[in-house]
Amino acid sequence: MPAELTYESTLRELATDQGVLRYHEAGEGPPLLLLHGSGPGVTGWRNFNGNLARFAEHFRCLVLEFPGFGVSDPTDAHPMMAAGGAVIRFLDGLNLGQVDVIGNSMGGIIGTQVALRNPDRVGRLVTVGGMGRNIFSPGPGEGIKLLMEFTDEPSRERLVRWLHSMVYNPRIVTEEMIEERWRQATDPETLAAARRMYGSKAMAASAKAMAASDEPPYWAMLHKLKAKTLITWGRDDRVSPVDMALVPMRTIPDVQLNIFPNCGHWVMIEQKAAWESAVLAFLTNKEQG
């Protein structure tokens, strides 16, 4: 990564009526919004800092830090419920009309929901695992169960077990990564937000509420998605197994699916070069309109 694309040099703040949103900015050109996933110690910077240099050659990259994950100001709401509103406040605060979006896991779901509700705000959409629903595999997946165990009773051992479920190659999980994640995941406010999302009681309550709701889940409305979409997935994903891609792949009107071998949940990290090439080819293909 070029020396200028450091954490400190790219970090920005945007004051909103619901607290400060922090983000990283790099590059010039059409705006590209990058939305991170969930899990212990996650941040947008940790998800995407390895990809910024290449994308910044073509786009004005904006890596938003969702409220509830320890970087932007905290939220009392369920972090996933707060995220969509944060995206719109962020775009409005920077006077951005339409943007392209890359979303990892939870970020892909949020990007999809924003595109469904505000079709004029999202041009092209790239997702990394996570969206859709389990068809053949049991749900929740192994990685989600490990995430729930950590959230209920945090320990370094449980954090390491969860991190290993995220990847195909265990060497990606370094001591530095473990230490960074542990420090942030055990911050009291961040842990409280995580428990509203992934604690076993919260997950049970969410499942009960969804079963009683008359509102269709987002994945049942994908036929209404206007954005040209690229779904990317790791073939060996143990958090959101690849069969989850079947409903989105079949129901989104204008969609491509790219599955990467020898790859877990973090496609943008484990298959960095191949993933970047596929995403850039999709985002810069003017012939697709």
Side-chain angles (χ1 to χ4, degrees):
M1 183 188 298
E4 65 270 16
L5 293 192
T6 63
Y7 181 93
E8 291 77 15
S9 72
T10 58
L11 185 62
R12 311 279 188 269
E13 290 190 350
L14 175 69
T16 79
D17 59 0
Q18 295 182 45
V20 172
L21 292 172
R22 294 181 178 87
Y23 64 102
H24 293 270
E25 181 173 2
E28 296 179 356
L32 176 63
L33 177 63
L34 296 97
L35 304 176
H36 66 77
S38 60
V42 73
T43 67
W45 177 256
R46 286 174 192 155
N47 266 187
F48 295 114
N49 74 81
N51 313 116
L52 269 185
R54 191 160 178 200
F55 287 132
E57 295 172 6
H58 304 270
F59 298 97
R60 177 191 179 191
C61 299
L62 302 161
V63 184
L64 175 62
E65 300 288 358
F66 287 130
F69 293 88
V71 181
S72 287
D73 282 358
T75 175
D76 292 331
H78 186 295
M80 199 148 184
M81 298 299 104
V87 168
I88 297 301
R89 288 201 312 281
F90 181 69
L91 296 181
D92 289 348
L94 293 183
N95 296 311
L96 293 171
Q98 188 177 88
V99 297
D100 290 339
V101 175
I102 297 175
N104 172 48
S105 196
M106 168 189 159
I109 295 172
I110 298 304
T112 302
Q113 291 174 330
V114 169
L116 285 168
R117 293 170 186 155
N118 308 270
D120 57 323
R121 305 304 291 269
V122 178
R124 294 178 190 241
L125 173 67
V126 179
T127 65
V128 186
M131 75 180 299
R133 62 157 300 153
N134 301 67
I135 300 297
F136 302 118
S137 60
E142 174 195 356
I144 300 295
K145 289 181 178 177
L146 292 172
L147 176 54
M148 291 165 63
E149 288 177 10
F150 173 85
T151 306
D152 282 347
E153 294 184 48
S155 71
R156 289 181 72 91
E157 181 185 357
R158 285 181 170 171
L159 176 64
V160 171
R161 211 178 305 148
W162 173 76
L163 284 169
H164 278 281
S165 78
M166 299 290 284
V167 296
Y168 176 82
N169 181 357
R171 285 177 296 187
I172 288 172
V173 180
T174 62
E175 286 300 319
E176 181 185 14
M177 177 188 288
I178 294 165
E179 186 55 39
E180 281 181 347
R181 293 277 184 149
W182 172 254
R183 204 163 47 239
Q184 187 146 341
T186 52
D187 168 76
E189 280 187 342
T190 307
L191 182 58
R195 284 179 170 152
R196 289 196 293 275
M197 189 170 180
Y198 283 121
S200 54
K201 290 181 181 177
M203 291 285 280
S206 176
K208 188 175 180 181
M210 286 173 64
S213 175
D214 291 328
E215 185 175 333
Y218 80 92
W219 52 260
M221 303 305 292
L222 293 176
H223 60 286
K224 291 184 173 292
L225 191 63
K226 304 295 186 192
K228 294 178 184 297
T229 303
L230 171 65
I231 298 170
T232 65
W233 221 289
R235 184 189 64 191
D236 310 287
D237 193 330
R238 293 150 58 196
V239 179
S240 39
V242 73
D243 63 282
M244 290 179 66
L246 291 173
V247 168
M249 177 269 293
R250 196 63 189 144
T251 54
I252 296 173
D254 192 338
V255 64
Q256 302 174 37
L257 171 63
N258 199 328
I259 297 174
F260 295 81
N262 305 324
C263 184
H265 194 60
W266 290 331
V267 188
M268 68 287 184
I269 294 171
E270 279 203 272
Q271 289 284 1
K272 174 176 147 46
W275 180 80
E276 288 172 352
S277 293
V279 172
L280 282 170
F282 171 76
L283 291 178
T284 60
N285 185 352
K286 304 303 181 190
E287 292 179 8
Q288 292 184 6

